[in-house]
Amino acid sequence: MKRNWGTVLFSTLIISSLTLSACSSDKPSKENEGKTPADETKGVATAGFPIVKEPLKLKMFTRIAPTNGPFKDMPVFQDYEKMSNVQVEFIEAPTDGFNEKKNLLFASNELPDVMYRSGLTPLEAIRYGTGGQLIPLEKLIDAYAPNLKKLMETYPEIRPAITTPEGHIYALPGIVSVNSARTDKRWMNQAWLQKLNLKVPETTDEFYEVLKAFRDKDPNGNGKQDELPMTARNGLSIVPIMAGSFGLDFQLGYNINLENDKVNIWMGSDRNKELLMYLNKLYAEKLLDPELFTQKEAQYLTKQGTGNTGFFFDQTNNPMLDTKVNEQYIGIAPVKGPHGDSLQLAAPVPRDFGAFAITSVNKNPEATMRWIDYFYSDEGSTLLRFGRQGENYELKDGIPYYTAAFLNSGNQSKITPYAGGGAPHLISEKVASYINPPQVQEAQKKLDPFMPKIRYAAPMFDEQTAQQINILRNDIDKYYEEQSTKFIAGALSFDKWAEFQNTLKKMKIDELQKLYQVAYDNLKGQK
C-alpha cells in the first residue's frame, strides 16, 4: 500500500499514508450527532448523517486493482451505506484495459452517476466538462463539501491544480497532506556502513565512494563480490530521484525549474548533462543496478527485502518485511551535487488528479458531493483505509493501527479501495500509520529540510492548449526518454549532446516552455 514515486516519471509526474478514527456503526460521529440541517429544496443534509432521509442509489464506475476484492464486500462501503442512506452500485473495471473502458463510456454516452477512482486526466476533465458530460463542482463544494473546502483553504495549491482557465472544477483529487506519502525515502544500508567504517555520504562524490566500497569490500562478509550497491525502479525513475542533487526540479508536473517566476524546461540543459553523466558513471562501473532498464516491480521489491542491497528508494519500509532487514537501513538526506544543490523530489499535495467526478446523468449531485466529502476528513479516511475498529484496526493514542491478527491475514488490500492508488480521499498524518511507522518518520525528517515550499501540480489548460501540449510532448518526451536511457547505459556518447539539444529545439521545446509559462502566470494570477 505504497506509492511508487520512481514510476511516477514522465507519464504521471511529467504530465500532469491514512485518516483514521473510522465509524463502524450506523450512528453519526459525536461531533455531528444531532446536527442534520437540510437543504429544504433538495432534501440533503448539509451536515451529519444520514445524508438523505429516503434511500438513494448511485452508480459509480471505478477501477479495481489486482489486489482489491469486490468493492461491495468492503467494510467502508457497507458501513457508510448505513450511515449515509446512500447505496452505491460499483461498476468495476480491472486496471488492465481500464482506460479503454472509460473512454468507451464517454464515447457511447452511457454514463454512470459518478466516475470513482477513474484517473481522469486534466485533458479528459476539460474535454468532458466543456462537452457537458461532467458537471462543474465548485458551487457544490462551497455548499456541500466543508471538509474539502477547508483543505483547499489550508493548502492554496489545491484549487489552481483542479480549476480550469474558465474557473470550473470538473474533477476532485486525492489529497496528501503528510509529507512521507509524497516522497521516496533514500534507504542506505547502515550495517554495511558500520562494517566498513564509513560515514553517511553527504555529497555526490562521497556517495560514489561509498557505492564503490559496497561493491569491492565485501560488506556482507560472505567472501563473494555479490553485493548490489544501488538499485531503483525500472527505467528512468532514477532521473527524478537524483535530479535534485544537480539543481533540477519537477514543478508543474514536468521537467521544470521555476527561477524568479520564469519557467525553465531543463531537458537540454548543462545541469541535466551533468546528471546523466554521473548516472552513466555509476552504471558503467556496476554501482547502479545492471538490470535497471529490464527489471519488473516484483524483482525490485525482492532486492529491497534481501538486505543485500546498499541503497534504494521507496516511499515506506513495507517491502523490507523481515525485521532484521529493516534494522539494516536508515533514511539519509539528498546528497549535495557539484553546485551545492540537494533538492528533494515530492509529489504535490493534490497528488491524484481526476479521482472523482459527477456526470450529467446524476440526478442527485448535492447528495453525491456530501457523500464524497466525508472521505476528505480524518474520520472518513480512517473508515476507508482501515475498515472496522476492533475487527480490522485498533486505536493507539488516537491513531489507527491494523490489528496483529488482521495484518497476519494479509487481507489489508481487500478491505480498502486505497490499495492500487488513486482513491478520492485525504491521506493525513492521522491515518498514515501503516505507511508512516517510526522508521519512515525518521527517514522523512532527513528529507524535510530539502522539500519545496510548494510543489505545483500539473496545471489545467484549456482544451486547445492541452492538445498543443500533448502533440509537442508526445515527440519530446519519447525522444528524451529514449536518448536519456542511451546516455545512462553508455549506448550514446556525450559527444552527441549538442545534437541532442538541437533535436529538442527542432521538436519545439521552446514553444512548449512558452505554453507552460502562460499556465504558470495564470496560476499565479489566481492566488
Side-chain angles (χ1 to χ4, degrees), residues 330-445:
I330 56 169
I332 70 170
V335 292
K336 291 182 181 179
H339 305 283
D341 298 297
S342 51
L343 302 175
Q344 171 59 37
L345 172 71
V349 171
R351 192 185 73 182
D352 303 312
F353 183 86
F356 188 89
I358 300 175
T359 74
S360 56
V361 304
N362 189 319
K363 296 180 181 179
N364 301 278
E366 298 84 6
T368 305
M369 182 58 70
R370 270 293 325 274
W371 185 91
I372 192 59
D373 184 61
Y374 181 58
F375 298 109
Y376 290 107
S377 71
D378 286 334
E379 181 182 283
S381 185
T382 299
L383 175 59
L384 183 139
R385 296 174 70 94
F386 283 86
R388 295 180 177 126
Q389 186 173 354
E391 181 178 335
N392 306 122
Y393 77 92
E394 55 193 3
L395 290 175
K396 298 178 182 177
D397 298 323
I399 302 296
Y401 292 84
Y402 288 128
T403 64
F406 186 60
L407 275 174
N408 291 334
S409 74
N411 290 328
Q412 296 93 290
S413 62
K414 302 297 183 185
I415 67 156
T416 171
Y418 167 68
H425 72 304
L426 167 68
I427 303 176
S428 72
E429 190 170 350
K430 290 185 178 180
V431 297
S433 62
Y434 187 61
I435 60 170
N436 194 35
Q439 185 185 20
V440 173
Q441 293 176 33
E442 288 302 311
Q444 181 61 39
K445 288 177 183 177

Side-chain angles (χ1 to χ4, degrees), residues 147-158 177 349:
N147 294 312
L148 177 56
K149 188 176 180 181
K150 183 178 179 180
L151 287 171
M152 292 170 73
E153 292 168 352
T154 304
Y155 302 98
E157 60 266 46
I158 295 175
S177 63
V349 171

Side-chain angles (χ1 to χ4, degrees), residues 56-60 86 111-115 132-135 137 140 356-369 371:
L56 176 64
K57 293 185 178 182
L58 295 174
K59 288 187 177 182
M60 299 191 186
V86 176
L111 297 172
D113 295 300
V114 168
M115 305 296 291
Q133 292 178 296
L134 299 178
I135 67 169
L137 304 177
L140 291 169
F356 188 89
I358 300 175
T359 74
S360 56
V361 304
N362 189 319
K363 296 180 181 179
N364 301 278
E366 298 84 6
T368 305
M369 182 58 70
W371 185 91

Side-chain angles (χ1 to χ4, degrees), residues 182-420:
R182 301 169 52 219
T183 62
D184 261 355
K185 314 305 173 292
R186 300 162 183 266
W187 298 109
M188 177 153 279
N189 197 321
Q190 67 171 338
W192 288 7
L193 291 176
Q194 293 169 357
K195 175 77 178 293
L196 302 177
N197 197 28
L198 298 171
K199 69 182 186 71
V200 173
E202 296 180 358
T203 68
T204 48
D205 288 341
E206 291 177 0
F207 183 67
Y208 169 72
E209 294 298 329
V210 165
L211 294 182
K212 282 203 303 181
F214 286 171
R215 181 193 65 190
D216 299 336
K217 296 186 177 181
D218 192 29
N220 66 12
N222 68 356
K224 302 176 183 178
Q225 196 173 17
D226 60 352
E227 293 86 352
L228 178 61
M230 174 183 179
T231 189
R233 282 192 163 81
N234 178 278
L236 281 188
S237 62
I238 192 66
V239 169
I241 287 290
M242 294 297 294
S245 295
F246 294 83
L248 303 176
D249 205 353
F250 283 82
Q251 292 287 359
L252 303 173
Y254 200 50
N255 310 292
I256 286 174
N257 277 12
L258 293 174
E259 301 161 353
N260 299 318
D261 285 338
K262 296 297 181 184
V263 168
N264 175 24
I265 297 179
W266 48 254
M267 295 151 90
S269 69
D270 290 341
R271 289 291 188 96
N272 188 38
K273 182 181 179 182
E274 291 181 48
L275 165 63
L276 296 178
M277 290 180 73
Y278 182 77
L279 295 175
N280 167 252
K281 179 170 72 169
L282 299 185
Y283 189 85
E285 297 184 27
K286 293 184 170 53
L287 304 177
L288 180 57
D289 195 340
E291 297 179 335
L292 177 67
F293 299 109
T294 58
Q295 69 182 351
K296 304 296 184 184
E297 176 74 1
Q299 292 173 279
Y300 176 63
L301 296 179
T302 297
K303 290 172 181 176
Q304 294 183 21
T306 61
N308 202 43
T309 299
F311 184 74
F312 64 90
F313 311 90
D314 211 294
Q315 178 188 316
T316 186
N317 62 350
N318 291 344
M320 300 178 280
L321 297 178
D322 188 285
T323 302
K324 291 182 179 179
V325 173
N326 261 332
E327 292 173 351
Q328 283 185 235
Y329 291 91
I330 56 169
I332 70 170
V335 292
K336 291 182 181 179
H339 305 283
D341 298 297
S342 51
L343 302 175
Q344 171 59 37
L345 172 71
V349 171
R351 192 185 73 182
D352 303 312
F353 183 86
F356 188 89
I358 300 175
T359 74
S360 56
V361 304
N362 189 319
K363 296 180 181 179
N364 301 278
E366 298 84 6
T368 305
M369 182 58 70
R370 270 293 325 274
W371 185 91
I372 192 59
D373 184 61
Y374 181 58
F375 298 109
Y376 290 107
S377 71
D378 286 334
E379 181 182 283
S381 185
T382 299
L383 175 59
L384 183 139
R385 296 174 70 94
F386 283 86
R388 295 180 177 126
Q389 186 173 354
E391 181 178 335
N392 306 122
Y393 77 92
E394 55 193 3
L395 290 175
K396 298 178 182 177
D397 298 323
I399 302 296
Y401 292 84
Y402 288 128
T403 64
F406 186 60
L407 275 174
N408 291 334
S409 74
N411 290 328
Q412 296 93 290
S413 62
K414 302 297 183 185
I415 67 156
T416 171
Y418 167 68

